[in-house]
Amino acid sequence: MGNVKGWLLCVLMMLSTLSLFVPAQSTRDLAAGGDFSLTDRTGNLFRLSDRHGKVILLFFGYTSCTEACPIILGRINSVFKQLGPDQNKALAVFISVDPQRDTTDVLRDYVKYFSAGTVALTGKKEEIDAVVKQYGAKYEIEKSDSALGYHISHTTDILLIDQQGALRSRFKHTDSAKVITDGVRLLLR
């Protein structure tokens, strides 16, 4: 009986240690991800494959979002601060799901308020929709009585992409900066 308890305790300790090395969510339920091209805030072509060698934190949103997007950008800033000297090995990528309002000029002005060096991307609706689908995200434009005339419900996950461009994990926008930083550091090892 004592031998079984010892074995069980050993297994439990191994499982708890293993969970320290798994980012916020496993790769289950992840879309394929992969390479894409969109327009950056300076009007230049951005290709994910050109960023191989960096860990990418990718998220979808729009500049008029008053809820999740500022929280996500703030959280990503905290992640980059926690990364310290390793922050140059990672990149934050924000893809706007509102190409009608989020022009390159609007994106340029928006991301300058955040210090993580976030790359903001836009494109034609069809191009954005393809990337949204490719990464298993969603968004829906909903008419509203607001001054803007509509708002957008969108996926608020932060996607973790490794140095080879493979989608590795998803974080909730409510996950702490430490949890996200640990996921990034795991890929930097």
Side-chain angles (χ1 to χ4, degrees):
M1 186 71 143
N3 200 13
V4 171
K5 284 184 185 176
W7 180 82
L8 197 55
L9 182 61
C10 182
V11 168
L12 287 174
M13 287 175 54
M14 285 175 28
L15 288 174
S16 66
T17 302
L18 185 61
S19 69
L20 294 174
F21 300 105
V22 178
Q25 292 181 346
S26 69
T27 54
R28 68 173 167 60
D29 300 328
L30 290 180
D35 197 20
F36 63 85
S37 298
L38 290 170
T39 303
D40 73 14
R41 67 183 186 242
T42 62
N44 293 318
L45 183 67
F46 173 97
R47 269 191 222 71
L48 183 65
S49 59
D50 290 343
R51 303 324 187 266
H52 282 187
K54 289 191 179 263
V55 172
I56 307 289
L57 292 171
L58 174 71
F59 61 102
F60 298 90
Y62 64 111
T63 63
S64 300
C65 177
T66 58
E67 297 171 18
C69 293
I71 292 169
I72 293 168
L73 283 161
R75 184 103 354 103
I76 287 175
N77 279 339
S78 295
V79 168
F80 276 77
K81 286 177 185 171
Q82 289 179 26
L83 286 173
D86 285 334
Q87 64 184 270
N88 64 339
K89 297 175 184 173
L91 181 67
V93 177
F94 166 57
I95 298 177
S96 173
V97 294
D98 190 5
Q100 181 177 332
R101 290 189 287 218
D102 290 346
T103 64
T104 54
D105 289 339
V106 170
L107 290 172
R108 185 175 43 250
D109 291 343
Y110 184 70
V111 296
K112 75 179 178 186
Y113 294 108
F114 302 95
S115 62
T118 301
V119 174
L121 303 176
T122 188
K124 295 176 184 168
K125 183 181 182 324
E126 304 77 37
E127 295 169 329
I128 294 167
D129 288 351
V131 178
V132 166
K133 181 178 180 183
Q134 185 176 333
Y135 280 88
K138 295 181 175 154
Y139 75 97
E140 182 178 354
I141 298 172
E142 301 171 342
K143 293 190 186 282
S144 73
D145 294 331
S146 72
L148 298 174
Y150 64 91
H151 69 275
I152 302 174
S153 294
H154 62 90
T155 300
T156 58
D157 292 344
I158 301 167
L159 308 176
L160 182 65
I161 300 170
D162 70 17
Q163 297 92 323
Q164 290 74 43
L167 181 56
R168 296 291 299 270
S169 188
R170 289 182 187 273
F171 297 100
K172 295 178 182 141
H173 80 281
T174 55
D175 285 340
S176 71
K178 182 183 181 337
V179 167
I180 298 168
T181 303
D182 288 348
V184 172
R185 282 195 175 124
L186 180 65
L187 294 180
L188 292 177
R189 289 185 188 170

